[in-house]
Amino acid sequence: MTEAEAGMWRAYRDGGEHDLSSGDPTVDDPHGGHPWGPERTVRARIVCWLLLDGPPPLAGRVAALKLTGAHISGTLDLAGGAVEPYVELSGCRFENEVLLPEARFRTVRLANCSVPRLEAARVHTEGDLHLPRCRFHNGVRLTDAHIGTDLLLNEAVVYRDRGGRSIAADGLTVGQDLQAELLESHGELSLRGATVGVSLSLRGARLVNPYTRLALNAPQLTVERTLYLTPAGIGGIQLSGRTPARGTPVQRFECRGGIRLDDGRFGDAVDMERARFVLTDDQELSLRRVQVPELRFLGEGPQRGKVVLSGARVVNLVDRAAAWPGPGRLHMGGFGYENLVPQGPFPLAERLAWVSAATAEYNPEPYERLAAVLRAGGEEEDAREVLLAKQRHRRETLPPAAKLWGFAQDVTVAYGYRPARAAVWMAVLWAAGSLAFAYAGKPTPSGNAGDPPWDPVLFALDLLLPVIDLGQVGFWQLRGGWQWLSATLVLTGWILATTVAAGATRLLRKA
């Protein structure tokens, strides 16, 4: 063995750290260009020998590999091996990829290391797998890996592999938290079918993938608590997993590429506070069929691309008006939510524009869902406005004759959603009819004995009111144009009275 390797061997038996760094931060930077000589080089095969079949610890000690500032030459290949001691490599530079497929560990920690590639499909750890501040030049593979407690990727930088993926972690299982705060991913971050036992934090992460459509591909993702796509504090001492204190410089979550979270299950929330999504026209922020108690859609509205919530199920929708895209770029078919919790001003007119943006082609469902939620919250008047907007949108799809009739209904009685307007129209027609019949003079009596005296006001009211008989219409005979006027009043009276009755019925049902 070389002196560096022999020192590593001795430190292993003692459970102590073997530090090969020079003390100069610039020279010791594993990501820098300064060459490291043989005095700080250990061979990967010696590391494997030590971990798989190393010497027993000294009396009263626990064997552990704690190596700092080493250049590890060759390929570290522990595929299929069972490693018992604790492993911690800090500030190391690997010459070749690290191979850990189907290996078993207790806890593994690689901190601030330069690694060409980490191949760890189906790796199993009883404790943590920590990879903070590492740089992976050809991707990370954690497909079907099982991490007993936490997986940490904070401040890691990962570049894509030959398949275009930065991190391939389909089927990954993490017992507790997956923290990837301030992660920088160049390529597709794939978490298809992954399961996280507590929370998944991508606070302050930057996901960039100009090569394909998706920067985050995570359909059927299960997170028992919360998915965080929120800001993270930068500079100074930051507590991972915490909301940055007021006044702390922050970096927002940013995704330059599509996001796919279809069929995801989240136990508490999906939080998109101040998130920035930069999409192309053919890319999507897709939340199809997601199920979550609270969706905090509070990011920066994407200027291009689409937001898709079709089939999603949400209890509380916490949002702001500026977070949503414009017309034709929002799809909400089958989107169900029970409560609206707007952050900041979100007037009804903008809420209607939100629904309209999702229904370029007429679809009554988003309007009816919004009306039901408003009604459940006691906003009956706003609910009627939403249903009126639904009828107006529907009118645009009708043929000309039906469209004209719909316009007449809108002007006169607002499709029955403003019954007071119908009562006003009845009063106006009553007054106009009374004046018209007064101007026409007394018509010819029917000739029956006991005809009542002529009263144009009661006669006009008797024509307008359906069902109710005031004893005027049957005793007077009208001719010519006055017959047409009386028929018009009868027909209009039926329409308006029915509208008033429908409005009263809705009020009584609500009471």
Side-chain angles (χ1 to χ4, degrees), residues 457-494:
V457 176
L458 285 178
F459 186 78
L461 184 59
D462 202 4
L463 291 171
L464 277 171
L465 292 178
V467 181
I468 301 175
D469 185 6
L470 299 180
Q472 287 288 327
V473 174
F475 296 97
W476 307 102
Q477 296 181 2
L478 300 176
R479 290 182 173 81
W482 299 108
Q483 287 181 313
W484 286 102
L485 175 59
S486 64
T488 301
L489 289 176
V490 169
L491 179 60
T492 306
W494 272 101

mmCIF file of all heavy atoms in Angstrom, residues 457-494:
data_model
loop_
_atom_site.group_PDB
_atom_site.id
_atom_site.type_symbol
_atom_site.label_atom_id
_atom_site.label_comp_id
_atom_site.label_asym_id
_atom_site.label_seq_id
_atom_site.Cartn_x
_atom_site.Cartn_y
_atom_site.Cartn_z
ATOM 1 N N VAL A 457 -106.213 49.692 -16.242
ATOM 2 C CA VAL A 457 -105.117 49.237 -15.377
ATOM 3 C C VAL A 457 -105.338 47.783 -14.954
ATOM 4 O O VAL A 457 -104.445 46.951 -15.048
ATOM 5 C CB VAL A 457 -105.004 50.151 -14.137
ATOM 6 C CG1 VAL A 457 -103.925 49.619 -13.184
ATOM 7 C CG2 VAL A 457 -104.661 51.573 -14.561
ATOM 8 N N LEU A 458 -106.556 47.480 -14.494
ATOM 9 C CA LEU A 458 -106.846 46.101 -14.109
ATOM 10 C C LEU A 458 -106.846 45.165 -15.304
ATOM 11 O O LEU A 458 -106.447 43.999 -15.205
ATOM 12 C CB LEU A 458 -108.208 46.035 -13.402
ATOM 13 C CG LEU A 458 -108.252 46.552 -11.963
ATOM 14 C CD1 LEU A 458 -109.665 46.464 -11.416
ATOM 15 C CD2 LEU A 458 -107.292 45.767 -11.086
ATOM 16 N N PHE A 459 -107.282 45.680 -16.464
ATOM 17 C CA PHE A 459 -107.314 44.847 -17.664
ATOM 18 C C PHE A 459 -105.886 44.442 -18.070
ATOM 19 O O PHE A 459 -105.607 43.273 -18.368
ATOM 20 C CB PHE A 459 -108.005 45.610 -18.796
ATOM 21 C CG PHE A 459 -108.212 44.768 -20.028
ATOM 22 C CD1 PHE A 459 -109.242 43.835 -20.100
ATOM 23 C CD2 PHE A 459 -107.370 44.898 -21.131
ATOM 24 C CE1 PHE A 459 -109.424 43.053 -21.229
ATOM 25 C CE2 PHE A 459 -107.549 44.122 -22.262
ATOM 26 C CZ PHE A 459 -108.584 43.193 -22.309
ATOM 27 N N ALA A 460 -104.958 45.400 -18.057
ATOM 28 C CA ALA A 460 -103.568 45.098 -18.410
ATOM 29 C C ALA A 460 -102.958 44.123 -17.400
ATOM 30 O O ALA A 460 -102.222 43.185 -17.767
ATOM 31 C CB ALA A 460 -102.746 46.380 -18.473
ATOM 32 N N LEU A 461 -103.273 44.317 -16.116
ATOM 33 C CA LEU A 461 -102.734 43.414 -15.098
ATOM 34 C C LEU A 461 -103.316 42.016 -15.233
ATOM 35 O O LEU A 461 -102.608 41.013 -15.041
ATOM 36 C CB LEU A 461 -103.031 43.988 -13.704
ATOM 37 C CG LEU A 461 -102.451 43.206 -12.511
ATOM 38 C CD1 LEU A 461 -100.936 43.125 -12.618
ATOM 39 C CD2 LEU A 461 -102.887 43.847 -11.207
ATOM 40 N N ASP A 462 -104.609 41.921 -15.589
ATOM 41 C CA ASP A 462 -105.237 40.621 -15.766
ATOM 42 C C ASP A 462 -104.596 39.855 -16.928
ATOM 43 O O ASP A 462 -104.473 38.630 -16.895
ATOM 44 C CB ASP A 462 -106.729 40.816 -16.003
ATOM 45 C CG ASP A 462 -107.532 39.553 -15.677
ATOM 46 O OD1 ASP A 462 -106.903 38.575 -15.201
ATOM 47 O OD2 ASP A 462 -108.746 39.539 -15.894
ATOM 48 N N LEU A 463 -104.183 40.579 -17.973
ATOM 49 C CA LEU A 463 -103.496 39.932 -19.094
ATOM 50 C C LEU A 463 -102.105 39.433 -18.701
ATOM 51 O O LEU A 463 -101.669 38.354 -19.121
ATOM 52 C CB LEU A 463 -103.374 40.904 -20.271
ATOM 53 C CG LEU A 463 -104.674 41.275 -20.999
ATOM 54 C CD1 LEU A 463 -104.417 42.402 -21.989
ATOM 55 C CD2 LEU A 463 -105.256 40.061 -21.721
ATOM 56 N N LEU A 464 -101.393 40.219 -17.886
ATOM 57 C CA LEU A 464 -100.024 39.884 -17.535
ATOM 58 C C LEU A 464 -99.924 38.738 -16.535
ATOM 59 O O LEU A 464 -99.000 37.926 -16.604
ATOM 60 C CB LEU A 464 -99.306 41.103 -16.952
ATOM 61 C CG LEU A 464 -98.724 42.105 -17.954
ATOM 62 C CD1 LEU A 464 -98.250 43.362 -17.234
ATOM 63 C CD2 LEU A 464 -97.576 41.479 -18.730
ATOM 64 N N LEU A 465 -100.879 38.669 -15.597
ATOM 65 C CA LEU A 465 -100.780 37.676 -14.535
ATOM 66 C C LEU A 465 -101.387 36.352 -14.996
ATOM 67 O O LEU A 465 -102.587 36.268 -15.247
ATOM 68 C CB LEU A 465 -101.502 38.157 -13.275
ATOM 69 C CG LEU A 465 -100.864 39.343 -12.560
ATOM 70 C CD1 LEU A 465 -101.710 39.738 -11.366
ATOM 71 C CD2 LEU A 465 -99.447 39.022 -12.116
ATOM 72 N N PRO A 466 -100.581 35.296 -15.103
ATOM 73 C CA PRO A 466 -101.144 33.997 -15.470
ATOM 74 C C PRO A 466 -101.858 33.377 -14.275
ATOM 75 O O PRO A 466 -101.607 33.726 -13.126
ATOM 76 C CB PRO A 466 -99.902 33.190 -15.859
ATOM 77 C CG PRO A 466 -98.794 33.805 -15.073
ATOM 78 C CD PRO A 466 -99.122 35.260 -14.932
ATOM 79 N N VAL A 467 -102.789 32.493 -14.556
ATOM 80 C CA VAL A 467 -103.528 31.725 -13.547
ATOM 81 C C VAL A 467 -104.517 32.603 -12.798
ATOM 82 O O VAL A 467 -105.716 32.288 -12.676
ATOM 83 C CB VAL A 467 -102.583 31.026 -12.553
ATOM 84 C CG1 VAL A 467 -103.379 30.219 -11.542
ATOM 85 C CG2 VAL A 467 -101.580 30.154 -13.288
ATOM 86 N N ILE A 468 -104.085 33.744 -12.275
ATOM 87 C CA ILE A 468 -104.953 34.620 -11.473
ATOM 88 C C ILE A 468 -105.960 35.327 -12.385
ATOM 89 O O ILE A 468 -105.577 35.933 -13.396
ATOM 90 C CB ILE A 468 -104.126 35.641 -10.700
ATOM 91 C CG1 ILE A 468 -103.136 34.927 -9.768
ATOM 92 C CG2 ILE A 468 -105.032 36.575 -9.899
ATOM 93 C CD1 ILE A 468 -102.200 35.847 -9.046
ATOM 94 N N ASP A 469 -107.239 35.272 -12.026
ATOM 95 C CA ASP A 469 -108.312 35.904 -12.803
ATOM 96 C C ASP A 469 -108.838 37.114 -12.030
ATOM 97 O O ASP A 469 -109.386 36.978 -10.937
ATOM 98 C CB ASP A 469 -109.442 34.896 -13.062
ATOM 99 C CG ASP A 469 -110.521 35.459 -13.967
ATOM 100 O OD1 ASP A 469 -110.335 36.594 -14.482
ATOM 101 O OD2 ASP A 469 -111.538 34.772 -14.177
ATOM 102 N N LEU A 470 -108.659 38.298 -12.605
ATOM 103 C CA LEU A 470 -109.148 39.529 -11.977
ATOM 104 C C LEU A 470 -110.508 39.950 -12.507
ATOM 105 O O LEU A 470 -110.985 41.049 -12.212
ATOM 106 C CB LEU A 470 -108.132 40.663 -12.204
ATOM 107 C CG LEU A 470 -106.730 40.426 -11.607
ATOM 108 C CD1 LEU A 470 -105.832 41.622 -11.903
ATOM 109 C CD2 LEU A 470 -106.813 40.181 -10.115
ATOM 110 N N GLY A 471 -111.131 39.118 -13.330
ATOM 111 C CA GLY A 471 -112.476 39.413 -13.809
ATOM 112 C C GLY A 471 -112.562 40.507 -14.839
ATOM 113 O O GLY A 471 -113.553 41.235 -14.889
ATOM 114 N N GLN A 472 -111.551 40.645 -15.682
ATOM 115 C CA GLN A 472 -111.563 41.703 -16.697
ATOM 116 C C GLN A 472 -111.473 41.152 -18.122
ATOM 117 O O GLN A 472 -112.207 41.584 -18.997
ATOM 118 C CB GLN A 472 -110.365 42.639 -16.451
ATOM 119 C CG GLN A 472 -110.521 43.535 -15.246
ATOM 120 C CD GLN A 472 -111.544 44.637 -15.469
ATOM 121 O OE1 GLN A 472 -111.702 45.136 -16.585
ATOM 122 N NE2 GLN A 472 -112.271 44.993 -14.409
ATOM 123 N N VAL A 473 -110.611 40.180 -18.341
ATOM 124 C CA VAL A 473 -110.303 39.755 -19.705
ATOM 125 C C VAL A 473 -111.521 39.176 -20.402
ATOM 126 O O VAL A 473 -111.792 39.472 -21.581
ATOM 127 C CB VAL A 473 -109.144 38.731 -19.685
ATOM 128 C CG1 VAL A 473 -108.911 38.160 -21.085
ATOM 129 C CG2 VAL A 473 -107.886 39.379 -19.161
ATOM 130 N N GLY A 474 -112.314 38.379 -19.728
ATOM 131 C CA GLY A 474 -113.415 37.695 -20.394
ATOM 132 C C GLY A 474 -114.615 38.568 -20.707
ATOM 133 O O GLY A 474 -115.551 38.110 -21.377
ATOM 134 N N PHE A 475 -114.621 39.819 -20.278
ATOM 135 C CA PHE A 475 -115.796 40.683 -20.455
ATOM 136 C C PHE A 475 -115.609 41.751 -21.522
ATOM 137 O O PHE A 475 -116.523 42.542 -21.763
ATOM 138 C CB PHE A 475 -116.141 41.355 -19.115
ATOM 139 C CG PHE A 475 -116.548 40.373 -18.048
ATOM 140 C CD1 PHE A 475 -115.631 39.922 -17.104
ATOM 141 C CD2 PHE A 475 -117.843 39.869 -18.013
ATOM 142 C CE1 PHE A 475 -116.001 39.017 -16.127
ATOM 143 C CE2 PHE A 475 -118.199 38.954 -17.028
ATOM 144 C CZ PHE A 475 -117.291 38.520 -16.085
ATOM 145 N N TRP A 476 -114.478 41.780 -22.181
ATOM 146 C CA TRP A 476 -114.236 42.815 -23.193
ATOM 147 C C TRP A 476 -113.646 42.198 -24.439
ATOM 148 O O TRP A 476 -112.825 41.294 -24.374
ATOM 149 C CB TRP A 476 -113.288 43.893 -22.645
ATOM 150 C CG TRP A 476 -113.746 44.468 -21.323
ATOM 151 C CD1 TRP A 476 -113.294 44.186 -20.096
ATOM 152 C CD2 TRP A 476 -114.784 45.416 -21.173
ATOM 153 N NE1 TRP A 476 -113.952 44.886 -19.143
ATOM 154 C CE2 TRP A 476 -114.897 45.674 -19.777
ATOM 155 C CE3 TRP A 476 -115.672 46.102 -22.036
ATOM 156 C CZ2 TRP A 476 -115.831 46.560 -19.249
ATOM 157 C CZ3 TRP A 476 -116.575 46.999 -21.505
ATOM 158 C CH2 TRP A 476 -116.660 47.210 -20.128
ATOM 159 N N GLN A 477 -114.121 42.694 -25.596
ATOM 160 C CA GLN A 477 -113.692 42.164 -26.889
ATOM 161 C C GLN A 477 -112.765 43.165 -27.566
ATOM 162 O O GLN A 477 -113.151 44.324 -27.777
ATOM 163 C CB GLN A 477 -114.897 41.901 -27.788
ATOM 164 C CG GLN A 477 -115.826 40.819 -27.247
ATOM 165 C CD GLN A 477 -116.999 40.570 -28.182
ATOM 166 O OE1 GLN A 477 -117.096 41.179 -29.257
ATOM 167 N NE2 GLN A 477 -117.892 39.669 -27.778
ATOM 168 N N LEU A 478 -111.532 42.694 -27.910
ATOM 169 C CA LEU A 478 -110.553 43.540 -28.581
ATOM 170 C C LEU A 478 -110.476 43.161 -30.049
ATOM 171 O O LEU A 478 -110.664 42.001 -30.410
ATOM 172 C CB LEU A 478 -109.177 43.382 -27.927
ATOM 173 C CG LEU A 478 -109.097 43.750 -26.441
ATOM 174 C CD1 LEU A 478 -107.714 43.445 -25.904
ATOM 175 C CD2 LEU A 478 -109.431 45.223 -26.225
ATOM 176 N N ARG A 479 -110.172 44.143 -30.892
ATOM 177 C CA ARG A 479 -110.094 43.900 -32.333
ATOM 178 C C ARG A 479 -108.813 44.514 -32.893
ATOM 179 O O ARG A 479 -108.253 45.444 -32.306
ATOM 180 C CB ARG A 479 -111.308 44.491 -33.056
ATOM 181 C CG ARG A 479 -112.625 43.758 -32.768
ATOM 182 C CD ARG A 479 -113.788 44.362 -33.554
ATOM 183 N NE ARG A 479 -114.997 43.567 -33.421
ATOM 184 C CZ ARG A 479 -115.832 43.615 -32.400
ATOM 185 N NH1 ARG A 479 -115.569 44.440 -31.385
ATOM 186 N NH2 ARG A 479 -116.904 42.849 -32.357
ATOM 187 N N GLY A 480 -108.383 43.974 -34.017
ATOM 188 C CA GLY A 480 -107.248 44.541 -34.734
ATOM 189 C C GLY A 480 -105.940 44.373 -33.968
ATOM 190 O O GLY A 480 -105.647 43.337 -33.360
ATOM 191 N N GLY A 481 -105.166 45.444 -33.981
ATOM 192 C CA GLY A 481 -103.857 45.414 -33.340
ATOM 193 C C GLY A 481 -103.927 45.242 -31.838
ATOM 194 O O GLY A 481 -102.970 44.755 -31.215
ATOM 195 N N TRP A 482 -105.063 45.610 -31.233
ATOM 196 C CA TRP A 482 -105.165 45.474 -29.779
ATOM 197 C C TRP A 482 -105.218 44.011 -29.361
ATOM 198 O O TRP A 482 -104.784 43.654 -28.256
ATOM 199 C CB TRP A 482 -106.405 46.210 -29.269
ATOM 200 C CG TRP A 482 -106.331 47.680 -29.594
ATOM 201 C CD1 TRP A 482 -107.066 48.350 -30.527
ATOM 202 C CD2 TRP A 482 -105.452 48.627 -29.005
ATOM 203 N NE1 TRP A 482 -106.705 49.670 -30.578
ATOM 204 C CE2 TRP A 482 -105.705 49.871 -29.629
ATOM 205 C CE3 TRP A 482 -104.481 48.553 -28.014
ATOM 206 C CZ2 TRP A 482 -105.014 51.020 -29.289
ATOM 207 C CZ3 TRP A 482 -103.804 49.714 -27.680
ATOM 208 C CH2 TRP A 482 -104.065 50.921 -28.310
ATOM 209 N N GLN A 483 -105.726 43.150 -30.252
ATOM 210 C CA GLN A 483 -105.681 41.714 -29.955
ATOM 211 C C GLN A 483 -104.227 41.222 -29.892
ATOM 212 O O GLN A 483 -103.866 40.414 -29.031
ATOM 213 C CB GLN A 483 -106.452 40.926 -31.014
ATOM 214 C CG GLN A 483 -107.959 41.076 -30.918
ATOM 215 C CD GLN A 483 -108.668 40.251 -31.962
ATOM 216 O OE1 GLN A 483 -108.283 40.271 -33.136
ATOM 217 N NE2 GLN A 483 -109.708 39.526 -31.552
ATOM 218 N N TRP A 484 -103.409 41.699 -30.834
ATOM 219 C CA TRP A 484 -101.991 41.323 -30.826
ATOM 220 C C TRP A 484 -101.287 41.845 -29.573
ATOM 221 O O TRP A 484 -100.444 41.158 -28.986
ATOM 222 C CB TRP A 484 -101.285 41.857 -32.076
ATOM 223 C CG TRP A 484 -101.635 41.089 -33.310
ATOM 224 C CD1 TRP A 484 -102.512 41.455 -34.289
ATOM 225 C CD2 TRP A 484 -101.133 39.803 -33.679
ATOM 226 N NE1 TRP A 484 -102.602 40.486 -35.259
ATOM 227 C CE2 TRP A 484 -101.748 39.452 -34.910
ATOM 228 C CE3 TRP A 484 -100.242 38.909 -33.110
ATOM 229 C CZ2 TRP A 484 -101.479 38.262 -35.553
ATOM 230 C CZ3 TRP A 484 -99.958 37.722 -33.754
ATOM 231 C CH2 TRP A 484 -100.588 37.408 -34.969
ATOM 232 N N LEU A 485 -101.647 43.044 -29.144
ATOM 233 C CA LEU A 485 -101.049 43.588 -27.922
ATOM 234 C C LEU A 485 -101.418 42.731 -26.713
ATOM 235 O O LEU A 485 -100.571 42.421 -25.868
ATOM 236 C CB LEU A 485 -101.517 45.027 -27.712
ATOM 237 C CG LEU A 485 -101.055 45.696 -26.402
ATOM 238 C CD1 LEU A 485 -99.537 45.735 -26.322
ATOM 239 C CD2 LEU A 485 -101.646 47.102 -26.280
ATOM 240 N N SER A 486 -102.723 42.347 -26.640
ATOM 241 C CA SER A 486 -103.149 41.544 -25.492
ATOM 242 C C SER A 486 -102.473 40.173 -25.508
ATOM 243 O O SER A 486 -102.067 39.654 -24.465
ATOM 244 C CB SER A 486 -104.668 41.376 -25.502
ATOM 245 O OG SER A 486 -105.087 40.634 -26.646
ATOM 246 N N ALA A 487 -102.297 39.564 -26.706
ATOM 247 C CA ALA A 487 -101.619 38.267 -26.790
ATOM 248 C C ALA A 487 -100.151 38.383 -26.372
ATOM 249 O O ALA A 487 -99.607 37.499 -25.687
ATOM 250 C CB ALA A 487 -101.714 37.714 -28.213
ATOM 251 N N THR A 488 -99.532 39.489 -26.774
ATOM 252 C CA THR A 488 -98.138 39.714 -26.382
ATOM 253 C C THR A 488 -98.005 39.847 -24.878
ATOM 254 O O THR A 488 -97.082 39.295 -24.266
ATOM 255 C CB THR A 488 -97.599 40.965 -27.077
ATOM 256 O OG1 THR A 488 -97.682 40.796 -28.499
ATOM 257 C CG2 THR A 488 -96.156 41.219 -26.679
ATOM 258 N N LEU A 489 -98.941 40.562 -24.258
ATOM 259 C CA LEU A 489 -98.893 40.726 -22.803
ATOM 260 C C LEU A 489 -99.106 39.391 -22.099
ATOM 261 O O LEU A 489 -98.461 39.098 -21.088
ATOM 262 C CB LEU A 489 -99.937 41.738 -22.343
ATOM 263 C CG LEU A 489 -99.651 43.203 -22.710
ATOM 264 C CD1 LEU A 489 -100.806 44.083 -22.272
ATOM 265 C CD2 LEU A 489 -98.356 43.679 -22.075
ATOM 266 N N VAL A 490 -100.018 38.563 -22.624
ATOM 267 C CA VAL A 490 -100.260 37.256 -22.000
ATOM 268 C C VAL A 490 -99.006 36.382 -22.080
ATOM 269 O O VAL A 490 -98.571 35.784 -21.081
ATOM 270 C CB VAL A 490 -101.458 36.557 -22.679
ATOM 271 C CG1 VAL A 490 -101.551 35.102 -22.219
ATOM 272 C CG2 VAL A 490 -102.743 37.309 -22.374
ATOM 273 N N LEU A 491 -98.393 36.321 -23.279
ATOM 274 C CA LEU A 491 -97.205 35.492 -23.454
ATOM 275 C C LEU A 491 -96.040 35.998 -22.600
ATOM 276 O O LEU A 491 -95.362 35.216 -21.919
ATOM 277 C CB LEU A 491 -96.802 35.480 -24.935
ATOM 278 C CG LEU A 491 -95.554 34.662 -25.297
ATOM 279 C CD1 LEU A 491 -95.754 33.201 -24.923
ATOM 280 C CD2 LEU A 491 -95.227 34.812 -26.774
ATOM 281 N N THR A 492 -95.826 37.302 -22.621
ATOM 282 C CA THR A 492 -94.737 37.876 -21.827
ATOM 283 C C THR A 492 -94.980 37.661 -20.346
ATOM 284 O O THR A 492 -94.049 37.383 -19.578
ATOM 285 C CB THR A 492 -94.594 39.376 -22.132
ATOM 286 O OG1 THR A 492 -94.452 39.559 -23.540
ATOM 287 C CG2 THR A 492 -93.387 39.957 -21.415
ATOM 288 N N GLY A 493 -96.220 37.777 -19.933
ATOM 289 C CA GLY A 493 -96.546 37.569 -18.524
ATOM 290 C C GLY A 493 -96.226 36.163 -18.072
ATOM 291 O O GLY A 493 -95.699 35.958 -16.969
ATOM 292 N N TRP A 494 -96.533 35.173 -18.898
ATOM 293 C CA TRP A 494 -96.197 33.796 -18.536
ATOM 294 C C TRP A 494 -94.678 33.619 -18.384
ATOM 295 O O TRP A 494 -94.194 33.000 -17.430
ATOM 296 C CB TRP A 494 -96.725 32.831 -19.602
ATOM 297 C CG TRP A 494 -98.143 32.388 -19.341
ATOM 298 C CD1 TRP A 494 -99.282 32.848 -19.927
ATOM 299 C CD2 TRP A 494 -98.544 31.386 -18.398
ATOM 300 N NE1 TRP A 494 -100.388 32.211 -19.433
ATOM 301 C CE2 TRP A 494 -99.960 31.289 -18.469
ATOM 302 C CE3 TRP A 494 -97.874 30.575 -17.501
ATOM 303 C CZ2 TRP A 494 -100.694 30.419 -17.692
ATOM 304 C CZ3 TRP A 494 -98.598 29.689 -16.716
ATOM 305 C CH2 TRP A 494 -100.009 29.623 -16.811
#
